[in-house]
Amino acid sequence: MEPRSRSFYILSAFFALFMLFLYGPTITIGILSFQGEGGGLTFPMRGVSLHWFYDLFEQQAVGDIWGSFRRSVLLGLMVMVVTVVVSVMGGLAFRSKFPGSNILFYLIITSLVIPSILISLGVGLLFSQSGLDVHWSTSGFGAQLTWTLPFGLLIMFAVFNRFDKSYEEAARDLGASQWQTLRFVVLPIIAPSLIGVALFGFTLSYDEFARTLLTSGSYNTLPLEIFGMTTNVTSPVLYALGTLTTVFSLIIIGSFLCVALIMNRLKKRQASDAGKGV
């Protein structure tokens, strides 16, 4: 084996520093969350225990941690479903040019470059001036869709741009209707991409702060609750909450990856069975 060049080690060291910069804060919070009962917010640690995780499940003096967690999960699921459905519909619509399609495309992308706090302010003002209640399930829901839908649509545009239309033509030649073609041909083929869009939609909504800040009304989502706790809570219970939310995020990502892996194996098995049948 040829010896590695000096540039390899330099780039490896740079990559290691980058990974440390990226994940160092999360690892630090995870370590500090295991402090003993007399622990503080900084090093050195004062003992090791699960005290602050137990304390997290007790009644807190300020805030509503678990209520905000439930709201964030529910809001994330709502955003996820709408993002997947609208993204697929938009991807199908943009497969062929129609009047105003270019303008509509740039309008969709515009929300990604507008500062998030301005989106939050605009949506909040729109609801309040219209006499509608500013609430996490209405105005917050709409504000977060301005963040997740462009990503979902961009993914679907890329997927359908390289989609082989011969599969649909073959299905129609065999007598399938448009709905049957979509349900039994198109959707199974693009299923892994749909999982990716769903994951994007949920995770982007679950940790969104700026677009929810002025649109959640009287009830906080989890990111807003954590931000509020930083000014009131002076114990490692805040770190314990951060550790649990990180673990929850990893579980969600792992679940989506497992679903994608299972679907891929089923697809290969069906293809193998079809080949044996032929």
Side-chain angles (χ1 to χ4, degrees), residues 78-178:
M78 292 165 55
V79 171
M80 179 186 73
V81 172
V82 174
T83 300
V84 171
V85 173
V86 176
S87 296
V88 172
M89 295 171 63
L92 291 171
F94 274 84
R95 296 180 76 183
S96 57
K97 290 288 185 179
F98 56 88
S101 59
N102 289 333
I103 296 176
L104 182 58
F105 172 78
Y106 288 113
L107 285 176
I108 293 171
I109 303 304
T110 300
S111 65
L112 293 179
V113 298
I114 299 177
S116 298
I117 192 65
L118 293 182
I119 296 288
S120 179
L121 177 62
V123 174
L125 286 175
L126 177 64
F127 270 74
S128 61
Q129 293 300 316
S130 301
L132 301 174
D133 290 335
V134 177
H135 194 265
W136 62 270
S137 63
T138 54
S139 54
F141 174 63
Q144 290 195 4
L145 284 177
T146 65
W147 179 235
T148 61
L149 278 178
F151 282 106
L153 287 168
L154 287 175
I155 293 174
M156 284 296 103
F157 291 163
V159 169
F160 283 115
N161 186 52
R162 52 189 175 84
F163 188 86
D164 191 350
K165 295 184 179 180
S166 62
Y167 294 114
E168 298 172 270
E169 295 171 357
R172 285 194 291 268
D173 290 341
L174 293 173
S177 64
Q178 289 187 346

Side-chain angles (χ1 to χ4, degrees), residues 2-258:
E2 297 183 2
R4 299 187 186 276
S5 62
R6 181 180 299 177
S7 60
F8 170 81
Y9 295 101
I10 294 175
L11 292 175
S12 298
F14 177 79
F15 179 73
L17 289 174
F18 171 74
M19 295 298 292
L20 181 62
F21 173 80
L22 190 63
Y23 293 104
T26 303
I27 296 173
T28 301
I29 288 175
I31 294 173
L32 289 174
S33 64
F34 289 95
Q35 289 205 74
E37 186 173 350
L41 296 176
T42 59
F43 289 103
M45 294 180 63
R46 301 172 185 173
V48 178
S49 72
L50 297 176
H51 169 77
W52 300 109
F53 290 94
Y54 291 123
D55 187 67
L56 185 61
F57 289 90
E58 301 294 334
Q59 181 65 38
Q60 299 296 314
V62 293
D64 181 18
I65 296 175
W66 299 110
S68 63
F69 172 75
R70 288 190 294 269
R71 287 189 285 273
S72 285
V73 172
L74 181 57
L75 183 58
L77 292 175
M78 292 165 55
V79 171
M80 179 186 73
V81 172
V82 174
T83 300
V84 171
V85 173
V86 176
S87 296
V88 172
M89 295 171 63
L92 291 171
F94 274 84
R95 296 180 76 183
S96 57
K97 290 288 185 179
F98 56 88
S101 59
N102 289 333
I103 296 176
L104 182 58
F105 172 78
Y106 288 113
L107 285 176
I108 293 171
I109 303 304
T110 300
S111 65
L112 293 179
V113 298
I114 299 177
S116 298
I117 192 65
L118 293 182
I119 296 288
S120 179
L121 177 62
V123 174
L125 286 175
L126 177 64
F127 270 74
S128 61
Q129 293 300 316
S130 301
L132 301 174
D133 290 335
V134 177
H135 194 265
W136 62 270
S137 63
T138 54
S139 54
F141 174 63
Q144 290 195 4
L145 284 177
T146 65
W147 179 235
T148 61
L149 278 178
F151 282 106
L153 287 168
L154 287 175
I155 293 174
M156 284 296 103
F157 291 163
V159 169
F160 283 115
N161 186 52
R162 52 189 175 84
F163 188 86
D164 191 350
K165 295 184 179 180
S166 62
Y167 294 114
E168 298 172 270
E169 295 171 357
R172 285 194 291 268
D173 290 341
L174 293 173
S177 64
Q178 289 187 346
W179 168 245
Q180 289 174 325
T181 302
L182 175 64
R183 179 182 177 186
F184 297 108
V185 178
V186 177
L187 291 182
I189 293 176
I190 67 172
S193 299
L194 296 182
I195 294 174
V197 172
L199 184 58
F200 256 114
F202 183 85
T203 54
L204 289 177
S205 169
Y206 178 71
D207 67 354
E208 177 57 27
F209 174 81
R211 294 177 191 246
T212 320
L213 180 61
L214 302 176
T215 58
S216 64
S218 302
Y219 298 97
N220 285 339
T221 58
L222 187 59
L224 298 180
E225 191 69 24
I226 293 175
F227 177 75
M229 289 178 65
T230 59
T231 61
N232 298 310
V233 179
T234 57
S235 67
V237 69
L238 183 61
Y239 295 152
L241 176 60
T243 301
L244 286 183
T245 54
T246 301
V247 171
F248 176 75
S249 299
L250 294 176
I251 290 174
I252 292 296
I253 295 173
S255 299
F256 276 91
L257 292 177
C258 288

